[in-house]
Amino acid sequence: MTLYTSRPVVLCLSGHDPSGGAGLQADIEALLAQGCHAAPVVTALTVQDTRNVSDFRVLDRPWVLAQAQAVFADLPVAAIKLGMLGSLEMVATVVELIQAHPSLPVVCDPVLRAGGGGALGKDEVGYAMREQLLPLARIATPNLPEARILAELPDGSADACAQKLLPHCPYLLITGGHGDEHQVHNRLYGRDGLRQTFTCERLPGSYHGSGCTLASALAGRLAQGEELVSAVQTALSYTWRTLRDAEQLGQGQFVPRRLPLDFCS
């Protein structure tokens, strides 16, 4: 029996996806692949499959606080990853938790839409995240449609959205998977003037849980002590490989293969 561990612990505050493509299962698998231990705190339950989401229920505030506080009291948390929150009350709950642990790096994946387009919270949740949560995060990882909601720029470019959002968050990674260019352009912005674009080949098809995979991998790299720009590049490369090897497990989008086939052998 091993009595010690070298695996950093990442607290994940996310929703549960019963299809296993996104949400907490995506967090857990992506963090395992980074050599981390995921501590999953359920914020919401969803009714969804690989095609879309049809309903969701945000958990009561006391239940989420109790889950997170049990983890903090027992485990040496090294980073926090945020996913689906779904309500204004849950945004306020998570703000309270982060403010109690201000030294931890926070990766905020502003989940506002499912991969199939279904809403996972009203737009006012996005505004609350912008005003209350982004200032507490180390980096936010919206895709371009989410960045437009957060920035209140329905047709804005990534650059325009970043200009609107950087006063709220020190670093932004706006992903380009929803475009139609031959290459995907993932753009990293920093309030310190950092501008860097990471390009990769656009893969055919659409994917369920790619944003969760990326944000969790990035939180894992930061928990491992990797410098931010390097961590972004590592997480993007890992995520692209999970999409390259994705499987169509259901009747909808492909599910990223976040762990190698021989992981448990």
Side-chain angles (χ1 to χ4, degrees), residues 10-249:
V10 178
L11 179 74
C12 303
L13 292 137
S14 303
H16 171 62
D17 168 14
S19 79
L24 286 170
Q25 182 165 324
D27 297 344
I28 293 166
E29 292 176 354
L31 284 164
L32 283 171
Q34 310 312 311
C36 294
H37 175 81
V41 170
V42 184
T43 58
L45 302 175
T46 70
V47 179
Q48 66 178 304
D49 54 23
T50 59
R51 291 169 294 193
N52 210 342
V53 61
S54 59
D55 203 358
F56 69 90
R57 175 175 295 180
V58 179
L59 267 64
D60 293 338
R61 168 186 168 88
W63 275 95
V64 176
L65 285 174
Q67 291 178 79
Q69 288 166 351
V71 172
F72 279 122
D74 185 44
L75 303 177
V77 176
I80 298 173
K81 183 266 179 182
L82 306 179
M84 177 188 174
L85 302 182
S87 72
L88 294 176
E89 183 180 42
M90 192 51 56
V91 172
T93 299
V94 172
V95 166
E96 179 180 327
L97 286 168
I98 294 173
Q99 287 177 332
H101 303 274
S103 64
L104 296 177
V106 176
V107 176
C108 179
D109 178 18
V111 178
L112 300 170
R113 297 286 186 273
L120 289 168
K122 298 179 180 179
D123 285 355
E124 64 188 23
V125 175
Y127 309 150
M129 293 179 74
R130 182 188 69 193
E131 298 297 320
Q132 301 173 39
L133 267 183
L134 293 194
L136 303 176
R138 177 83 182 280
I139 185 169
T141 61
N143 57 40
L144 183 54
E146 290 167 337
R148 287 169 171 164
I149 293 172
L150 292 170
E152 299 180 81
L153 297 173
D155 300 310
S157 66
D159 287 352
C161 291
Q163 184 176 7
K164 182 78 175 287
L165 294 175
L166 279 175
H168 301 274
C169 188
Y171 293 97
L172 284 167
L173 176 63
I174 300 180
T175 58
H178 285 73
D180 55 7
E181 306 94 342
H182 177 67
Q183 287 190 315
V184 176
H185 293 78
N186 301 299
R187 296 175 169 87
L188 177 63
Y189 302 88
R191 195 184 294 160
D192 57 5
L194 172 68
R195 298 289 186 277
Q196 190 162 344
T197 300
F198 303 88
T199 60
C200 61
E201 174 190 353
R202 184 175 297 279
L203 297 166
S206 60
Y207 304 90
H208 183 55
S210 56
C212 306
T213 303
L214 172 62
S216 296
L218 177 52
R221 300 320 307 166
L222 294 176
Q224 290 281 14
E226 193 167 348
E227 181 270 332
L228 186 128
V229 175
S230 174
V232 167
Q233 187 164 20
T234 302
L236 285 169
S237 297
Y238 163 76
T239 302
W240 186 88
R241 293 194 301 272
T242 72
L243 303 184
R244 179 197 62 191
D245 299 334
E247 306 165 279
Q248 191 167 25
L249 299 173

